[in-house]
Amino acid sequence: MVVDKTCPFDRIIIAIDGYSSCGKSTTAKQVAAELEYAYIDTGAMYRAVTLYFLQNHILLTDSRAIQDALEHIHIEFNYNSVKGCNETYLNGLNVEEEIRKQYVANSVSEVSAIPEVRRAMVTQQQMMGNKRGVVMDGRDIGTHVFPKAELKIFMNADPIIRAQRRQLELREKGEIVELEDIIGNIKKRDYLDTTRIESPLRRADDAQLLDTSFLAIHEQVTWVVAQARTTIMNLAHATSTQQ
């Protein structure tokens, strides 16, 4: 293990990558809370950009319009003390609920595949993670955003189970979507995420695999927290032996 002597060993970066609807965000949020780390939802960032593009009729083939739009997009996460969670703000407006709707999900993979968009978001993500003690989930965190993250997790699950989870999530928010439509959307997103030129979705060579098909969220959280504490313990030991 490579020891970074410039930061406290108990403030690591945890990179969680994987396919959509595997429980990445929910697990990452709870892991961050358990470890008292900051949580950064990169998927929400790409959804916020997608929402801005849709609202402002930005053509995905118009490079100049895309670049101009990115210069006017500011994304931040603010803690909601009533709900007990971070919420996504786009240019000062709370868009947490809007970015979770299906019409945004239908376009987010195309938007996130645009090189200019990815470069802009990666820059923001790296700045957010500079203080360490961060849990960040997405598609390219361990491979591109933080390739030297001390702990990398890659999550996957059976596509049908993923679709069922997504359908339930939408139903709880009042959106009724046919399972076949969700399966089609998931397959499309998987294809676009894994074949895009800029930072495609793939498992980092040193990422630990977590199949969540038959795991409850609390089991996923327990597993990741255990990996994190083991990593922290190993770092502490490696640091002590090098001093």
Side-chain angles (χ1 to χ4, degrees):
M1 176 180 293
V2 177
V3 178
D4 184 352
K5 296 182 179 180
T6 65
C7 64
F9 58 78
D10 61 340
R11 306 298 291 176
I12 66 174
I13 293 177
I14 302 175
I16 302 179
D17 291 308
Y19 295 90
S20 63
S21 301
C22 286
K24 292 193 310 297
S25 295
T26 304
T27 297
K29 290 175 187 176
Q30 294 187 25
V31 168
E34 181 79 14
L35 296 173
E36 297 184 352
Y37 277 19
Y39 166 65
I40 299 173
D41 185 350
T42 64
M45 296 175 72
Y46 288 107
R47 284 174 174 266
V49 173
T50 300
L51 177 63
Y52 184 93
F53 281 14
L54 291 171
Q55 290 178 335
N56 291 276
H57 309 290
I58 305 298
L59 295 177
L60 303 189
T61 55
D62 190 338
S63 297
R64 178 167 293 183
I66 289 170
Q67 193 60 54
D68 289 343
L70 289 171
E71 292 176 1
H72 293 88
I73 291 176
H74 176 68
I75 300 168
E76 59 185 348
F77 298 99
N78 293 324
Y79 187 74
N80 184 321
S81 59
V82 176
K83 295 182 178 180
C85 64
N86 282 333
E87 294 182 323
T88 311
Y89 281 71
L90 172 62
N91 294 336
L93 296 176
N94 188 331
V95 295
E96 184 63 33
E97 291 189 8
E98 196 66 23
I99 63 173
R100 305 298 174 181
K101 293 184 177 179
Q102 189 63 30
Y103 81 96
V104 175
N106 289 339
S107 298
V108 68
S109 287
E110 289 97 330
V111 172
S112 62
I114 298 170
E116 294 92 338
V117 172
R118 297 209 71 82
R119 285 193 287 268
M121 292 303 100
V122 167
T123 297
Q124 290 194 33
Q125 291 157 15
Q126 289 173 332
M127 291 177 64
M128 291 177 180
N130 279 340
K131 294 182 179 179
R132 309 184 67 78
V134 162
V135 181
M136 190 177 293
D137 71 286
R139 302 291 194 279
D140 61 348
I141 310 306
T143 56
H144 185 63
V145 182
F146 288 108
K148 294 184 179 180
E150 290 84 0
L151 176 60
K152 300 177 186 178
I153 308 294
F154 189 88
M155 294 173 65
N156 198 358
D158 181 89
I160 303 299
I161 293 176
R162 291 162 57 201
Q164 292 171 338
R165 289 173 178 171
R166 178 63 176 156
Q167 185 182 49
L168 179 60
E169 178 185 304
L170 290 169
R171 186 177 297 159
E172 290 173 346
K173 295 178 180 179
E175 280 194 79
I176 306 301
V177 183
E178 294 293 329
L179 185 63
E180 288 302 316
D181 292 337
I182 297 175
I183 292 174
N185 174 256
I186 282 177
K187 289 182 177 179
K188 176 183 176 183
R189 291 183 66 181
D190 287 353
Y191 175 78
L192 291 171
D193 288 343
T194 56
T195 60
R196 67 186 180 222
I197 296 175
E198 189 82 9
S199 303
L201 169 64
R202 67 174 181 84
R203 179 184 173 185
D205 294 337
D206 54 347
Q208 301 185 48
L209 179 64
L210 176 60
D211 189 318
T212 70
S213 298
F214 304 104
L215 294 178
I217 290 296
H218 76 273
E219 293 174 309
Q220 298 175 34
V221 172
T222 298
W223 187 87
V224 176
V225 168
Q227 304 308 309
R229 287 177 172 156
T230 297
T231 300
I232 290 169
M233 181 179 65
N234 289 341
L235 269 172
H237 177 72
T239 300
S240 65
T241 59
Q242 290 184 16
Q243 290 177 344

